[in-house]
Amino acid sequence: MFESLTEKLESIFKKLRSRGLLKEEDVDLALKEVRLALLEADVNFKVVKEFIQKVKEKAVGKEVLESLTPGQQVIKIVNEELCSLLGGSNSRIQLSPNPPTVIMMVGLHGSGKTTTSAKLARFFKKEGRRPMLVAADLQRPAAIDQLITLGSQIDVAVFHSKDTKDPVTLCEESIKKAKLEARDILILDTAGRLHIDDTLMAELKHIKDVVSPREVIFVADAMTGQDAVNIAKSFNEQIGIDGIILTKMDGDARGGAAISIRSVTGRPIKFIGTGEKIDMLEPFYPERVASRILGMGDVLGLIEQAQKTFEQKEAEKLQEKILGESFTFDDLKEQLKKIRSMGPIENILNMIPGMNKMKGLTVDEKEFVKIEAIINSMTSAEKRNHNLLNGSRRRRIATGSGTTVTDVNRVVKQYVELKKMLKMFKGGKGMKLPKFLPF
Amino acid sequence: MGLFERLKNGLSKTRKGLVEKVESIFTRGTIDETTIDELEEILIASDVGTHATQEIVDLLREKIKKGEVRDGDSAKNLLKKEMIFLLGSSAPVVLFGEKPFVILTAGVNGVGKTTTIGKLASRFTSQGHSVLLAASDTFRAAAIEQLEIWAKRSGAAIVKHQSGSDPAAVAYDAVESARHKKTDIVIIDTAGRLHTKSPLMEELKKVKRVVQKTIPNAPQEVLLVVDATTGQNALRQAQMFNDAIGITGVALTKLDGTAKGGIVFAIKKELGIPVRLIGVGEDIDDLRDFDPVEFVEALFS
């Protein structure tokens, strides 16, 4: 795995320990690493240069927040800048007031136009619209068949003609057909082409002029390298694009092309393709892609994951303790405390392996407070050995914890029962739950 | 037109940006830090990657320190030498051993596998070899139809099953058929897959295993098709595909655009996998043997 940028920066800033304001030399040092991370993520070097300059201006002299290290502070600024560069909100595809809304898909060979066209058609169909696909890629062998197959998979009509040689005429006719059939969305799958192929670019321009699409969507492969700027710029200048769909985001490419394309075209990224299946089209979230580009993984996803792992680990530890012979009052208290900090008991129970099947388990949260108080009033020796707990000791504990001797007796009894039960559990003889314990 | 000229032709667009910039730097005469920075930028812009670039730049810096590099010319020669050295010696696809010679192709989605296979098949049939294509991309809609068109164009035979069937079974049938009919070459087309999808990588391993049931030393060539437009992820692709099925060579496609394909330096350096073929256009004869010396010469001439 990539070493995370945050880690790298942390190690640099360990030496500096600069507090207060971010100094220029510290920022420079940090941005050197940021620059490398961006380059490794395939962000175009010119875009990187501008970006670093912008961040530097914002960062130098900025106060380091109390809760952050200087490294984290720089990353925070970098992340914010990246997010704003990637475009604040996830912008939707605009619909025409007069249907059909014509959407024209353009891009290089193999960027994923045909698959994305079908995904988009499915997306609109789910929204209750009546889309139609147009097989306007007359170049690639079997491209028409591919779209027809995809269309039948999602039950969307595909306008095509195997005799037509001219995509302009085909697209023109498709609009008539769409109007006739009262289709409200028309998606044109055009042939992949090089941005420096003048003939084919002129053809694309011609199609655009004839069909006046509501949106021209530039389909770009998330794995694209440094050349992304040239490609996107050419398409935008020659054809004019309204939005971007990034494909193949389910791989492990860092997706720096997103920044390159976004910054040279200024157009929003509308969707990302996250798999080969037709339903794998997701809205674009700048924060997630920004973290990914910085090599911090998908921070949001990671936090979710970490939380899951944490809970899983806690649950396992808990079970281990319960199963252990050396289960003292202290352990009991510790576990109860942890359990209470983890949220509603019923939810926690579901996470403990084997516990999710126990239905109808009700837990009185107040009981925990009492138990804790009782245990707190015990001496260390008593906590380790319950046999010491004679009548006078129990009276002292009750007074100390503000409970009654009956309460103390019950806790001790249940603790003993629990210990017994744990032994049984360990021996695999099945188990019986004591009344007060959630486990 | 000689091969060198043709290569130069095909690479002319690649050349333009890089060469002009390099020329302008080197003809300046003196070498300083700005020059080195600019050189670094050029390599980065060609997708050479930060690591390989750093290595080349460090070397240049060292030679300058030692006084071995004083002017633009010697720097240029050194750089050329270094880049040729990084790419290793020329390594085209060479047929060997008993028939059939099996070529397994693989790569991520949309890199141009089927097109490359079509061009490769044409090259072999025009050389008088008999060729059988195995339509093992049973996943993508109409992939079989696409390969069929290429089979027709190139005069190759084709073995296909229904869409959605087991790719390994198709490959097995193809190799069996080729063995019986004494076909010279079998080229197996596989579905594009991201290297991160382990079930799909397992499927690819199975294709290889099944082929080996008929011919133990097959596939004699395992070609990874890489899109020259791809950035640093191409190295990851090469690593993962290599781990799964042992890549013997790279076919670098789409060099007719403005992308430089500089990632091949990293692939060679990190994994020792040579580039065998380059795609420089959409015509059937636009698939060429990759020659490192000519490639670098063409970049700098």
Side-chain angles (χ1 to χ4, degrees):
Chain A
M1 273 314 284
F2 302 103
E3 189 191 350
S4 90
L5 184 60
T6 326
E7 274 168 38
K8 271 189 202 167
L9 292 185
E10 287 304 320
S11 69
I12 289 176
F13 280 108
K14 234 177 237 162
K15 289 173 227 149
L16 301 171
R17 289 249 165 257
S18 74
R19 272 293 177 209
L21 304 183
L22 283 174
K23 295 192 198 86
E24 182 166 356
E25 62 251 45
D26 297 357
V27 172
D28 279 343
L29 207 55
L31 289 182
K32 220 172 134 189
E33 291 297 330
V34 173
R35 176 179 169 270
L36 273 181
L38 293 176
L39 288 176
E40 274 164 28
D42 291 322
V43 183
N44 181 271
F45 74 98
K46 282 184 203 155
V47 177
V48 171
K49 221 179 209 176
E50 281 168 30
F51 179 78
I52 293 289
Q53 189 54 38
K54 216 194 297 172
V55 172
K56 191 182 164 180
E57 280 163 21
K58 291 222 168 164
V60 172
K62 193 141 194 171
E63 200 169 338
V64 179
L65 297 176
E66 200 49 55
S67 56
L68 298 180
T69 65
Q72 286 167 336
Q73 179 75 42
V74 173
I75 276 293
K76 188 168 172 280
I77 297 167
V78 168
N79 193 48
E80 282 165 4
E81 280 303 302
L82 265 192
C83 288
S84 84
L85 181 61
L86 282 169
S89 62
N90 61 89
S91 144
R92 290 182 61 103
I93 286 181
Q94 305 299 312
L95 300 180
S96 298
N98 306 313
T101 295
V102 180
I103 302 165
M104 191 171 153
M105 312 292 279
V106 303
L108 292 185
H109 308 269
S111 56
K113 284 174 300 302
T114 306
T115 306
T116 307
S117 297
K119 285 178 177 180
L120 214 48
R122 182 190 170 275
F123 171 84
F124 283 118
K125 191 170 188 251
K126 281 256 157 183
E127 284 199 332
R129 302 191 184 275
R130 287 171 45 80
M132 182 160 86
L133 287 158
V134 181
D137 179 357
L138 309 178
Q139 300 273 329
R140 182 162 55 92
I144 300 172
D145 294 325
Q146 187 183 353
L147 197 65
I148 292 172
T149 309
L150 292 172
S152 70
Q153 279 173 21
I154 52 174
D155 194 21
V156 166
V158 177
F159 183 80
H160 64 96
S161 158
K162 287 193 175 164
D163 310 317
T164 314
K165 290 269 182 296
D166 176 24
V168 183
T169 322
L170 182 92
C171 291
E172 211 172 0
E173 279 168 11
S174 75
I175 294 187
K176 284 182 209 154
K177 178 84 171 174
K179 281 182 179 157
L180 209 67
E181 292 185 3
R183 303 276 171 187
D184 48 10
I185 306 274
L186 195 62
I187 301 168
L188 313 181
D189 176 29
T190 67
R193 63 201 75 215
L194 277 176
H195 51 295
I196 49 170
D197 187 327
D198 296 337
T199 321
L200 286 180
M201 288 303 272
E203 178 197 273
L204 208 55
K205 183 83 178 62
H206 195 177
I207 295 177
K208 190 189 174 189
D209 291 344
V210 167
V211 302
S212 327
R214 182 70 182 84
E215 294 230 355
V216 176
I217 298 289
F218 176 63
V219 182
D221 187 329
M223 298 183 272
T224 312
Q226 294 285 320
D227 206 34
V229 283
N230 300 323
I231 300 162
K233 209 170 154 194
S234 281
F235 270 96
N236 195 35
E237 279 169 4
Q238 295 183 59
I239 315 296
I241 64 174
D242 302 292
I244 297 150
I245 295 182
L246 272 185
T247 61
K248 307 178 204 174
M249 282 292 279
D250 47 330
D252 59 356
R254 299 264 282 270
I259 298 186
S260 302
I261 296 170
R262 183 78 179 81
S263 81
V264 294
T265 64
R267 298 291 181 262
I269 299 168
K270 305 208 165 181
F271 286 100
I272 57 170
T274 55
E276 292 181 285
K277 302 218 172 70
I278 290 188
D279 57 345
M280 290 172 166
L281 186 73
E282 292 175 14
F284 171 75
Y285 294 109
E287 316 78 40
R288 294 193 172 199
V289 176
S291 314
R292 178 168 170 164
I293 290 168
L294 283 177
M296 300 195 290
D298 175 344
V299 167
L300 294 180
L302 220 63
I303 288 172
E304 281 164 27
Q305 193 55 44
Q307 207 140 5
K308 271 184 210 152
T309 327
F310 166 77
E311 285 165 3
Q312 183 66 32
K313 266 194 192 145
E314 284 294 307
E316 277 164 17
K317 233 203 260 163
L318 179 73
Q319 200 192 27
E320 212 174 275
K321 268 282 186 190
I322 294 170
L323 289 181
E325 298 251 21
S326 59
F327 191 72
T328 67
F329 275 109
D330 262 335
D331 290 329
L332 178 59
K333 190 182 87 180
E334 202 50 46
Q335 298 310 334
L336 291 178
K337 217 190 233 165
K338 269 190 191 151
I339 286 171
R340 292 183 64 214
S341 70
M342 284 163 87
I345 297 302
E346 278 82 359
N347 291 357
I348 307 299
L349 280 177
N350 285 334
M351 294 192 321
I352 303 173
M355 280 292 167
N356 46 1
K357 288 178 203 115
M358 306 279 175
K359 293 286 174 204
L361 216 62
T362 51
V363 182
D364 184 1
E365 298 264 356
K366 273 187 207 147
E367 275 294 333
F368 284 113
V369 186
K370 247 187 210 173
I371 297 166
E372 214 181 297
I374 290 171
I375 296 173
N376 280 342
S377 300
M378 293 179 184
T379 66
S380 306
E382 286 164 355
K383 282 179 196 166
R384 278 193 305 272
N385 182 5
H386 69 276
N387 290 326
L388 292 175
L389 295 168
N390 57 25
S392 81
R393 282 177 189 256
R394 291 184 191 211
R395 266 196 303 281
R396 192 205 75 237
I397 291 167
T399 319
S401 58
T403 57
T404 63
V405 178
T406 325
D407 287 328
V408 177
N409 285 344
R410 205 183 62 233
V411 169
V412 175
K413 194 175 166 225
Q414 284 167 329
Y415 167 78
V416 174
E417 262 177 35
L418 176 67
K419 266 198 109 165
K420 240 191 266 164
M421 186 268 289
L422 290 178
K423 262 184 207 155
M424 252 176 14
F425 192 60
K426 215 183 168 201
K429 285 182 190 156
M431 54 188 268
K432 208 177 109 212
L433 284 173
K435 274 169 209 139
F436 78 89
L437 276 174
F439 34 72
Chain B
M1 216 183 345
L3 183 64
F4 180 65
E5 281 304 308
R6 288 167 64 97
L7 181 64
K8 260 176 83 174
N9 232 19
L11 286 169
S12 60
K13 274 138 199 159
T14 310
R15 284 183 61 235
K16 252 181 213 162
L18 185 59
V19 171
E20 276 166 20
K21 277 185 248 163
V22 172
E23 287 296 340
S24 73
I25 289 173
F26 287 136
T27 46
R28 234 181 266 153
T30 52
I31 300 266
D32 53 18
E33 273 303 308
T34 327
T35 311
I36 293 178
D37 282 352
E38 277 171 332
L39 176 64
E40 190 186 44
E41 246 168 34
I42 289 163
L43 295 177
I44 291 285
S46 311
D47 290 318
V48 170
T50 51
H51 295 290
T53 297
Q54 202 53 50
E55 193 158 298
I56 295 169
V57 167
D58 283 349
L59 194 116
L60 194 62
R61 219 174 243 138
E62 205 176 292
K63 301 259 167 167
I64 291 170
K65 224 187 233 168
K66 282 186 189 161
E68 285 171 48
V69 176
R70 289 210 178 105
D71 53 18
D73 249 9
S74 57
K76 182 168 146 183
N77 284 331
L78 175 80
L79 188 65
K80 226 181 337 191
K81 224 173 78 188
E82 199 50 37
M83 293 177 90
I84 292 169
F85 179 75
L86 267 176
L87 289 174
S89 50
S90 161
V93 177
V94 177
L95 305 179
F96 61 87
E98 280 171 45
K99 289 175 190 177
F101 184 84
V102 181
I103 302 173
L104 174 63
T105 60
V108 299
N109 314 69
V111 288
K113 278 179 299 303
T114 310
T115 309
T116 302
I117 289 165
K119 291 181 193 169
L120 196 56
S122 304
R123 167 202 275 212
F124 285 134
T125 52
S126 69
Q127 287 170 351
H129 296 293
S130 53
V131 178
L132 175 68
L133 304 180
S136 285
D137 179 355
T138 57
F139 179 80
R140 182 166 58 89
I144 299 170
E145 286 86 340
Q146 190 180 346
L147 195 69
E148 266 184 311
I149 294 169
W150 275 110
K152 226 174 265 170
R153 278 187 197 170
S154 61
I158 184 167
V159 166
K160 53 168 186 170
H161 289 187
Q162 277 187 330
S163 173
S165 57
D166 181 7
V170 182
Y172 182 78
D173 283 359
V175 172
E176 275 291 305
S177 156
R179 206 171 52 120
H180 285 298
K181 292 179 184 159
K182 309 228 176 301
T183 308
D184 297 333
I185 298 158
V186 177
I187 310 176
I188 304 168
D189 184 20
T190 61
R193 65 201 73 216
L194 289 179
H195 49 289
T196 48
K197 305 266 158 93
S198 52
L200 295 180
M201 295 306 273
E202 287 303 320
E203 180 190 271
L204 203 54
K205 284 187 197 169
K206 187 179 163 197
V207 170
K208 187 179 173 182
R209 274 201 309 273
V210 159
V211 167
Q212 286 170 334
K213 274 188 190 160
T214 300
I215 305 165
N217 70 331
Q220 293 89 334
E221 182 77 60
V222 182
L223 270 187
L224 178 71
V225 184
V226 173
D227 183 337
T229 323
T230 313
Q232 299 309 299
N233 194 245
L235 180 60
R236 293 283 299 160
Q237 293 168 19
Q239 279 165 343
M240 304 291 272
F241 276 99
N242 191 39
D243 286 349
I245 51 169
I247 302 299
T248 59
V250 165
L252 188 65
T253 61
K254 309 188 197 176
L255 264 179
D256 47 332
T258 47
K260 317 289 195 289
I263 194 62
V264 295
F265 288 98
I267 293 177
K268 182 67 175 60
K269 184 174 158 277
E270 301 289 327
L271 303 169
I273 301 170
V275 183
R276 298 227 192 277
L277 299 158
I278 55 170
V280 290
E282 294 185 61
D283 287 337
I284 210 156
D285 57 349
D286 279 336
L287 185 75
R288 319 238 171 115
D289 280 336
F290 176 79
D291 185 314
V293 180
E294 280 179 350
F295 185 79
V296 176
E297 281 295 338
L299 285 176
F300 286 92
S301 60

Short mmCIF file of all heavy atoms in Angstrom, two decimals, chain B residues 20 28 73 80 85 104-105 113 115 147 173 180 210 234 253 256 276:
data_model
loop_
_atom_site.label_atom_id
_atom_site.label_comp_id
_atom_site.label_asym_id
_atom_site.label_seq_id
_atom_site.Cartn_x
_atom_site.Cartn_y
_atom_site.Cartn_z
N GLU B 20 11.11 18.75 -28.79
CA GLU B 20 11.29 20.19 -28.89
C GLU B 20 11.73 20.78 -27.56
O GLU B 20 12.65 21.60 -27.50
CB GLU B 20 9.97 20.85 -29.34
CG GLU B 20 9.83 20.80 -30.86
CD GLU B 20 8.41 21.12 -31.31
OE1 GLU B 20 7.66 21.72 -30.52
OE2 GLU B 20 8.08 20.75 -32.46
N ARG B 28 20.88 25.08 -25.08
CA ARG B 28 21.20 26.28 -24.32
C ARG B 28 22.69 26.34 -23.94
O ARG B 28 23.21 27.38 -23.61
CB ARG B 28 20.36 26.31 -23.04
CG ARG B 28 19.59 27.60 -22.90
CD ARG B 28 18.81 27.57 -21.62
NE ARG B 28 17.46 27.10 -21.82
CZ ARG B 28 16.73 26.49 -20.87
NH1 ARG B 28 17.27 26.25 -19.70
NH2 ARG B 28 15.52 26.12 -21.11
N ASP B 73 25.05 18.80 -25.15
CA ASP B 73 25.22 17.60 -25.96
C ASP B 73 25.56 16.37 -25.14
O ASP B 73 24.97 15.31 -25.32
CB ASP B 73 26.33 17.84 -27.01
CG ASP B 73 25.72 17.90 -28.41
OD1 ASP B 73 24.46 17.92 -28.47
OD2 ASP B 73 26.49 17.92 -29.39
N LYS B 80 20.08 9.82 -23.17
CA LYS B 80 19.71 8.84 -24.19
C LYS B 80 20.20 7.45 -23.78
O LYS B 80 19.45 6.49 -23.76
CB LYS B 80 20.35 9.25 -25.51
CG LYS B 80 19.39 9.18 -26.65
CD LYS B 80 19.90 9.52 -28.01
CE LYS B 80 21.06 10.36 -28.30
NZ LYS B 80 21.23 10.76 -29.68
N PHE B 85 19.30 2.15 -21.77
CA PHE B 85 19.74 1.15 -20.80
C PHE B 85 18.57 0.68 -19.94
O PHE B 85 18.41 -0.51 -19.67
CB PHE B 85 20.85 1.74 -19.92
CG PHE B 85 21.35 0.79 -18.88
CD1 PHE B 85 22.17 -0.27 -19.22
CD2 PHE B 85 20.97 0.96 -17.55
CE1 PHE B 85 22.61 -1.16 -18.25
CE2 PHE B 85 21.41 0.08 -16.57
CZ PHE B 85 22.23 -0.99 -16.92
N LEU B 104 -1.31 -15.56 -24.90
CA LEU B 104 -2.42 -15.16 -24.04
C LEU B 104 -2.34 -13.65 -23.85
O LEU B 104 -1.27 -13.12 -23.53
CB LEU B 104 -2.31 -15.89 -22.68
CG LEU B 104 -3.31 -15.49 -21.58
CD1 LEU B 104 -4.74 -15.81 -21.99
CD2 LEU B 104 -2.98 -16.21 -20.27
N THR B 105 -3.45 -12.96 -24.07
CA THR B 105 -3.43 -11.52 -23.87
C THR B 105 -4.29 -11.14 -22.67
O THR B 105 -5.26 -11.82 -22.36
CB THR B 105 -3.98 -10.77 -25.09
OG1 THR B 105 -5.33 -11.18 -25.31
CG2 THR B 105 -3.16 -11.05 -26.33
N LYS B 113 -7.17 -4.45 -26.32
CA LYS B 113 -6.75 -5.84 -26.47
C LYS B 113 -7.24 -6.45 -27.78
O LYS B 113 -6.44 -6.98 -28.55
CB LYS B 113 -7.31 -6.71 -25.33
CG LYS B 113 -6.50 -6.66 -24.05
CD LYS B 113 -7.12 -7.51 -22.98
CE LYS B 113 -8.52 -7.07 -22.62
NZ LYS B 113 -8.63 -5.68 -22.17
N THR B 115 -8.37 -5.13 -30.53
CA THR B 115 -7.78 -4.48 -31.70
C THR B 115 -6.33 -4.92 -31.90
O THR B 115 -5.90 -5.23 -33.01
CB THR B 115 -7.84 -2.95 -31.52
OG1 THR B 115 -9.18 -2.58 -31.19
CG2 THR B 115 -7.42 -2.23 -32.78
N LEU B 147 -14.36 -9.66 -32.24
CA LEU B 147 -13.23 -10.51 -32.60
C LEU B 147 -13.49 -11.24 -33.91
O LEU B 147 -12.57 -11.43 -34.72
CB LEU B 147 -12.95 -11.52 -31.47
CG LEU B 147 -11.59 -12.22 -31.57
CD1 LEU B 147 -10.46 -11.24 -31.30
CD2 LEU B 147 -11.50 -13.40 -30.61
N ASP B 173 -10.73 -25.33 -25.84
CA ASP B 173 -11.18 -25.80 -27.15
C ASP B 173 -10.30 -25.27 -28.27
O ASP B 173 -9.97 -25.99 -29.21
CB ASP B 173 -12.63 -25.34 -27.40
CG ASP B 173 -13.62 -26.20 -26.63
OD1 ASP B 173 -13.16 -27.14 -25.94
OD2 ASP B 173 -14.83 -25.93 -26.72
N HIS B 180 -4.90 -30.28 -33.10
CA HIS B 180 -5.36 -31.27 -34.08
C HIS B 180 -5.13 -30.78 -35.49
O HIS B 180 -4.70 -31.53 -36.36
CB HIS B 180 -6.84 -31.58 -33.87
CG HIS B 180 -7.08 -32.44 -32.68
ND1 HIS B 180 -6.57 -33.71 -32.57
CD2 HIS B 180 -7.76 -32.21 -31.52
CE1 HIS B 180 -6.91 -34.23 -31.40
NE2 HIS B 180 -7.63 -33.33 -30.74
N VAL B 210 -5.69 -24.15 -17.78
CA VAL B 210 -6.41 -25.04 -18.68
C VAL B 210 -5.64 -25.22 -19.99
O VAL B 210 -5.55 -26.32 -20.53
CB VAL B 210 -7.83 -24.49 -18.91
CG1 VAL B 210 -8.44 -25.04 -20.18
CG2 VAL B 210 -8.70 -24.79 -17.71
N ALA B 234 -0.41 2.04 -14.46
CA ALA B 234 0.01 0.97 -15.36
C ALA B 234 1.05 0.07 -14.69
O ALA B 234 1.10 -1.13 -14.95
CB ALA B 234 0.58 1.56 -16.65
N THR B 253 -0.25 0.38 -26.43
CA THR B 253 -1.18 0.86 -27.47
C THR B 253 -1.42 2.36 -27.40
O THR B 253 -1.05 3.01 -26.42
CB THR B 253 -2.54 0.17 -27.33
OG1 THR B 253 -3.08 0.50 -26.04
CG2 THR B 253 -2.42 -1.33 -27.43
N ASP B 256 -0.34 6.81 -30.86
CA ASP B 256 -0.57 7.80 -31.90
C ASP B 256 -1.24 9.06 -31.36
O ASP B 256 -1.44 10.02 -32.07
CB ASP B 256 -1.39 7.21 -33.06
CG ASP B 256 -2.60 6.42 -32.58
OD1 ASP B 256 -2.55 5.88 -31.44
OD2 ASP B 256 -3.60 6.35 -33.30
N ARG B 276 7.14 -5.38 -26.18
CA ARG B 276 7.33 -6.14 -27.42
C ARG B 276 6.75 -5.40 -28.62
O ARG B 276 7.33 -5.39 -29.69
CB ARG B 276 6.65 -7.50 -27.32
CG ARG B 276 7.19 -8.39 -26.22
CD ARG B 276 7.43 -9.79 -26.77
NE ARG B 276 7.69 -10.77 -25.73
CZ ARG B 276 8.89 -10.94 -25.18
NH1 ARG B 276 9.91 -10.19 -25.58
NH2 ARG B 276 9.07 -11.87 -24.26
#
